[in-house]
Amino acid sequence: MTSERDNFPGWHGTTILCVRKADTVVMAGDGQVTMGQTMVKDNARKVRPLANGAVIAGFAGATADAFTLLERLEAKLERYPNQLTRACVELAKDWRTDRYLRRLEALMAVADKDVSLLLTGTGDVLEPQDGVIGIGSGGNFALSAARALYDMDLGAEDIARRSMAVAAGICVYTNDNIIIEKLESA
């Protein structure tokens, strides 16, 4: 039995990369959105600042679902100011247990000046060991490139830009229209 959802081609086309190095954390996202085999948009903004610029977030998955999660995260950050991990854990609890939120199909990478986290709909709040997160269609390509470049004499933004270029050269659902958000420790 097929659902109405099965009649529509999948939306693809997100590569999000978070790189934390030294006193800088960078969130990079490409701009491509595709529906089936058709590119619908090449300049989508999938990374954005939250909490008055204290947090940066990137999303992969269904756009409406991601915006719902970003709004929920913003509310959690208002309730738990300057406590990104706590806000993410509370969001993950809701995401996993709430009947409506459970159906949302998205992943999020979030970071503040202290921590970078990956959030999933299964209740996971993961902090990467190496400070690098890659999600979306080209996420593994960008992640691999970033890990290969990490020990070189490059800053977080250079690593992110070069890694996203690698992903754009490999993944047909990733383009080179890169949006960067950056946080630097004082």
Side-chain angles (χ1 to χ4, degrees):
M1 181 191 252
T2 62
S3 70
E4 182 177 325
R5 187 179 210 166
D6 294 332
N7 294 327
F8 295 96
W11 288 84
H12 297 284
T14 299
T15 300
I16 301 295
L17 180 66
C18 180
V19 178
R20 177 179 295 277
K21 187 169 182 183
D23 295 334
T24 305
V25 62
V26 171
M27 190 80 62
D30 78 312
Q32 184 167 310
V33 176
T34 60
M35 188 169 111
Q37 297 176 347
T38 305
M39 184 176 54
V40 177
K41 186 173 182 173
D42 71 349
N43 65 346
R45 184 171 184 84
K46 304 169 199 168
V47 296
R48 59 196 61 237
L50 301 175
N52 296 317
V55 172
I56 50 179
F59 63 84
T63 306
D65 293 356
F67 282 127
T68 298
L69 293 167
L70 287 171
E71 288 172 4
R72 297 283 180 121
L73 179 58
E74 189 88 65
K76 296 294 183 186
L77 289 166
E78 288 175 11
R79 183 168 180 189
Y80 305 106
N82 302 314
Q83 299 178 61
L84 179 60
T85 302
R86 172 87 186 267
C88 289
V89 167
E90 294 299 321
L91 175 62
K93 285 182 197 175
D94 291 349
W95 193 355
R96 182 169 166 75
T97 59
D98 182 272
R99 178 175 259 172
Y100 168 72
L101 293 178
R102 250 193 327 244
R103 293 188 173 103
L104 300 183
E105 296 179 8
L107 290 172
M108 290 182 15
V110 297
D112 67 7
K113 63 182 180 58
D114 298 316
V115 65
S116 299
L117 301 168
L118 169 66
L119 284 76
T120 74
T122 58
D124 295 319
V125 178
L126 305 169
E127 181 177 3
Q129 179 177 332
D130 56 5
V132 181
I133 299 170
I135 60 174
S137 304
N140 286 336
F141 301 119
L143 177 65
S144 296
R147 285 184 176 166
L149 294 170
Y150 196 84
D151 290 331
M152 298 180 101
D153 190 21
L154 298 169
E157 186 171 348
D158 287 335
I159 292 170
R161 286 189 185 281
R162 290 177 185 208
S163 300
M164 292 295 288
V166 168
I170 297 170
C171 179
V172 297
Y173 297 115
T174 303
N175 71 8
D176 59 1
N177 187 357
I178 307 302
I179 303 290
I180 298 277
E181 291 288 342
K182 179 168 44 172
L183 296 175
E184 297 181 270
S185 297

